[in-house]
Structures are given as C-alpha cells and as structure tokens.
Amino acid sequence: MKQCAAALVTALFVATGPAVAEDAVNVDSTQADVALVKASKFAPDDVGYFVIDLADNRVVAQHNADRPFIPASVAKIPAVAAGLEILGSDYRFTTTVLADGEINDGVLAGSLILRGGGDPFLSSDDLQTMAKALAASGVKKVEGSFFYDASALVEVPQINDMQPEAAGYNTGVSALSVNFNRVRLNWNRGRDPSSAFAAAISESRALPLDGVAIAFAAEEPPGPFVRAGTPSEDRWLLAPSLPETGEDWLPVGDPSLVTAEVFRALAAEEGVDLPDPKPGVTPEGARALVNHDSIPLGEIASGVLHYSNNLSAELIGLAASQRLTGRRLSLKDSATALAAWWKLRRPEADWTDFAVENHSGLSSRSRTTPRQIVTMLEESSELMGGADFNELLKQIQWKGVNGWARVKTGTMSYARGLAGYINTESGSRLAFAIFFNDVEKRAALDDAFDRHVRAIDGASRSWRNSALRLEETLTTGWAKRF
C-alpha cells in the first residue's frame, strides 16, 4: 500500500497508536531454544528473536519478540528497503559541474560550480573522469570563483557525536562526499623532519590532500589521533608515542570541501586551473558542462547491505525522505520520516517502541523489536516491483547444514543483531531477526564516553563472541528443523 508524499507529511512526527497484530498461530519458542538461551551467559531478557515461514506467515519460533532492542546496523534494512521502494532500484545520484558565464579561448568569464547529488559511491576516479570531461569542454581557467554546492542534503560533520572522533566509520555526511569520506593517514617520525600526510584513496590511486592538516603534537594528547579544532575542521594532531611509521584511516568532517579540493587537484592534472574552492549555491541559469551518474541504486544497496557502510546508508535514507517530504531533513528527522512511511505501509503491525536515530544504526538510542524487523523483511520481499530483497543480502552457509541464509549483521559494544532470510534444509524460506543486548553495560559505556578513546571495550569482545556462538546455534537449528 503506497502512500503519497502529502499523506506522509501530514503523518510525520505525529504520535500514533500502533495497531497490535495477533499471530495467526501463537507458537512459543521450542523448549530446546529456550534451554539454549537459559544455558547461555545471557539473561533471558537480553535475547530476543522472531521467526516466520514466509510460505504462510506461520510463526515457528519466538522469544521476547516484542521487546525493544538496539538494532545497530540491522537498522540499515528498513532504511535501504524503503529507499529502494521510494526512489526505485534504477535511481541514480548525479554529480554535476556547471558554468555561470561564457567560455572564451579557454577562459570561463564567471564561476564554476561542483554540485553534489548525494552519490554514496562517488570516488576520486569518478572525479578524475569528470575533470577530463571538463577539460574537453574547453575550460582551462576560471576568472570567477570555484564554488562547491552541497545544498541538496543536510551536512553534518559526523553521524553520531557519541562515537570516537577518530573512528573511520563515523564520518561527515554531505551531498558532496568522496571515497566514503575517509582519508588514509601515513606518518614517518624517523625522517628529518618528521612527515605525516593524508591521502584520498580510490581503486586506482592515492592523492595527497593539502586540505587535511596533519601535525605531531608537542606533548602527549588524550588519544593517538586528536582533532585540533571542531568536528568540521579536518586538522589532526598525532601522538608522539605512535610507532615510528604507520598508517591508519581517519574520518572526514567537512566532506564537501574535501571533495572540492580533490576535484581541483585532479582538474589541475588535466590542465584546468581552478581557484581555491568556496561554499556556494548554484545560481539560476548556470548550465551543466559535465554530469556523472552513479551506478543504479539497486547495485549500491547490495554493496551497502554487504559491507555495512554507514555513510552510504545515511545518504540513501536522506534522499528517500526528501523525495517523500520535499524537505531537506536532519538525520534524525529523516529516519523518523522513513519510520512513518513504514507505519503507513503496514498500519496493522505493532510499531510500539520503534524509534531510529539515523539510517545507519550508529546509535545506542535506536530501538526496534524482532517482530518489527521481520515485518519489514516480509514486506521487503514484495518491494522493488516484485524483485527479491533477499538477493541483495550477504549469503552465509554453515558447516554440516544443507540450508543457507542471506543476512544483515549489526554490532556495537553490548549490542548484536542478525536478520534476514534462511533457506532451510527442507526447502522452506524463513524470515527472522535475532538480537542480543546488555542495556545496562551499554548505558555504562555511554555514561563514561570519551571521544578520544577508539579502542573497543575488552569485556564487550568476550560478550560478542558468546552472542555469536548462541546466534549460530539458534539459526542453524532453525535451518535444520523447519
């Protein structure tokens, strides 16, 4: 049941009482599954799962099916599935170079604009192709300004401010993003003088970036890599205690500026002299010189669900909510908009406690239930004009089991999730979601949060390994039994 944008805008941010759906057959978890949970190191309330047979929607296993859990990256399922339906699997994100002025003898008598369209997979290689096309258009020099226009979507310097500032998965978000908004840091303290630099990395090349400032701190900072300014300033200090040489990845906090700097450097290689980039908005009447279209959204979605890239999920969700509402929304409001879309699409489902802070799942404040995720998986099998959402998920197989599964994982400290489809040994297809949370330990981590600490809590590693073992035992059991 598709809903028009006007209906969604009306419903957006309005609290509605969810309809509570009763199971067609009220089936408890098997005694064996309950025994496994009780025998594990987890409290019974720390584990929840819900499993249905898609042939008849019969519930075959459940435990705490309506208990809210932190979904982590399992939250990418509702975001990506909604994006595919709202935008279409053939949708392409367009990045454009425009001219505001005439070109005479290779000189643009006006300004050049690099305008972003939210391409989640834009790379330095794509920008190099665009720079070649710009040179071929006849532009060799720009008399006016070189603007970058990221106004299509909201810009933020990091997805979640409750994550380490140097975490490569917690990048800035912008309609102009390149190379997943990460740069590779290289340093060598053995040289005289010491050297350190950041580079934009694509499949074919590494491009040093002057705009990302790297320096060694005179005294030991509170972490190995520390921002020297605000989150939107890409200036970093390195700890003197680091190994003599090394490399790592750092997030970009001002993606649109970095993207423009990469394009400027690549244009220079093609003989096009551009001024220093400045933020701006494309003026009326500017004409397109170069367009770059992304690969289709269906292919992007498969990559996002396989590799769980946070930035890409956010950009898909932002584009989808903008299509729905006609508004440029914040990450949280955008996630709320897609949550409203799901509630309108399946109004009979129980959406109690369903709340997502963003589209990537990078938040300990998001909540969903196993039943809600299975409802969305069930619905997603009918999305994309009848295409099979199952085919976009990563396939896994188990030793000693003839069945297999396609899944999306989610992992944070003291939060683990797995959801998707199981093809059983008998030939049935199940939709399932299973979550593990230790809310108290997660809350304690959040209370003690230090943005300079990037290391994962050691005790949470052991907790996660226990979750993985029980998760595999349960899912392989379902694959064999049903």
Side-chain angles (χ1 to χ4, degrees):
M1 178 179 61
K2 294 185 179 180
Q3 301 291 332
C4 67
L8 181 69
V9 172
T10 301
L12 193 59
F13 314 133
V14 176
T16 58
V20 178
E22 295 293 334
D23 296 337
V25 178
N26 186 11
V27 181
D28 290 333
S29 303
T30 63
Q31 292 182 353
D33 288 343
V34 173
L36 288 170
V37 172
K38 289 181 177 179
S40 71
K41 298 180 180 179
F42 300 97
D45 285 349
D46 289 350
V47 183
Y49 52 82
F50 188 66
V51 191
I52 66 170
D53 189 324
L54 286 172
D56 54 11
N57 293 335
R58 178 172 51 91
V59 179
V60 297
Q62 63 173 319
H63 175 70
N64 289 330
D66 298 305
R67 187 176 182 85
F69 289 88
I70 301 168
S73 282
V74 172
K76 291 181 174 70
I77 287 176
V80 172
L84 285 165
E85 177 70 359
I86 294 163
L87 298 170
S89 59
D90 293 329
Y91 179 83
R92 296 174 186 262
F93 301 84
T94 301
T95 308
T96 310
V97 177
L98 305 99
D100 183 29
E102 298 299 321
I103 304 170
N104 295 303
D105 296 327
V107 178
L108 172 60
S111 297
L112 192 78
I113 304 99
L114 176 65
R115 184 173 66 194
D119 184 352
F121 280 16
L122 188 71
S123 70
S124 299
D125 297 337
D126 298 325
L127 292 178
Q128 185 168 38
T129 300
M130 295 180 69
K132 290 180 182 292
L134 177 61
S137 75
V139 176
K140 300 300 178 185
K141 186 177 181 180
V142 174
E143 281 189 345
S145 298
F146 171 40
F147 293 111
Y148 55 92
D149 181 357
S151 61
L153 301 172
V154 67
E155 264 191 295
V156 295
Q158 53 193 358
I159 296 171
N160 185 352
D161 60 8
M162 286 292 291
Q163 292 291 321
E165 65 179 5
Y169 54 79
N170 188 32
T171 70
V173 178
S174 170
L176 264 175
S177 296
V178 68
N179 302 328
F180 305 107
N181 291 347
R182 299 194 313 165
V183 293
R184 191 175 68 194
L185 167 67
N186 289 82
W187 70 88
N188 188 334
R189 291 190 298 106
R191 292 182 179 177
D192 188 18
S194 299
S195 67
F197 67 93
I201 304 298
S202 63
E203 288 188 5
S204 66
R205 64 179 302 167
L207 180 70
L209 295 172
D210 294 333
V212 179
I214 308 293
F216 287 97
E219 299 180 355
E220 197 69 21
F225 315 115
V226 177
R227 283 196 183 275
T230 66
S232 61
E233 295 177 282
D234 289 304
R235 297 187 292 120
W236 294 89
L237 292 175
L238 309 188
S241 59
L242 286 169
E244 187 171 283
T245 63
E247 66 178 39
D248 212 312
W249 292 93
L250 291 175
V252 170
D254 192 349
S256 54
L257 174 58
V258 169
T259 304
E261 289 175 337
V262 170
F263 182 73
R264 179 174 182 260
L266 294 170
E269 293 182 358
E270 302 303 325
V272 181
D273 184 16
L274 298 180
D276 289 339
K278 299 188 295 186
V281 178
T282 304
E284 290 187 16
R287 68 187 189 280
L289 299 179
V290 180
N291 285 318
H292 170 75
D293 290 333
S294 73
I295 60 176
L297 178 56
E299 295 179 35
I300 292 174
S302 179
V304 173
L305 294 170
H306 274 68
Y307 301 106
S308 205
N309 182 265
N310 292 328
L311 167 67
S312 300
E314 300 295 353
L315 289 172
I316 292 170
L318 288 171
S321 69
Q322 187 177 76
R323 171 71 64 85
L324 277 175
T325 66
R327 296 162 55 192
R328 192 180 73 162
L329 301 175
S330 68
L331 295 187
K332 184 173 182 178
D333 286 350
S334 179
T336 301
L338 294 195
W341 179 86
W342 277 108
K343 293 174 184 180
L344 290 168
R345 191 175 180 96
R346 291 294 295 268
E348 81 288 354
D350 182 355
W351 295 104
T352 304
D353 296 318
F354 181 51
V356 281
E357 294 284 313
N358 51 42
H359 302 295
S360 63
L362 191 60
S363 172
S364 62
R365 294 185 292 268
S366 293
R367 294 292 186 275
T368 188
T369 70
R371 189 192 303 269
Q372 289 162 357
I373 291 294
V374 170
T375 295
M376 290 183 276
L377 286 168
E378 177 193 2
E379 182 73 9
S380 296
S381 65
E382 302 173 3
L383 297 178
M384 301 177 295
D388 195 348
F389 188 74
N390 165 77
E391 296 297 326
L392 300 179
L393 298 172
K394 183 177 181 179
Q395 182 170 325
I396 62 171
Q397 290 183 289
W398 308 280
K399 290 183 179 179
V401 181
N402 292 328
W404 48 270
R406 287 187 178 270
V407 300
K408 179 73 195 77
T409 61
T411 304
M412 296 176 65
S413 292
Y414 300 111
R416 168 68 183 179
L418 185 74
Y421 307 94
I422 295 175
N423 280 43
T424 70
E425 289 187 337
S426 67
S428 298
R429 177 176 290 182
L430 312 176
F432 79 99
I434 179 171
F435 291 111
F436 301 82
N437 280 185
D438 190 320
V439 176
E440 290 185 3
K441 289 182 179 178
R442 179 69 226 186
L445 278 185
D446 289 340
D447 288 342
F449 172 67
D450 182 343
R451 71 180 188 277
H452 300 117
V453 176
R454 194 169 63 165
I456 297 174
D457 175 68
S460 74
R461 291 182 183 274
S462 175
W463 182 95
R464 181 196 62 188
N465 291 337
S466 296
L468 291 174
R469 287 191 293 270
L470 180 54
E471 172 187 283
E472 182 173 355
T473 300
L474 289 170
T475 51
T476 54
W478 300 332
K480 290 179 178 179
R481 291 203 309 268
F482 304 123

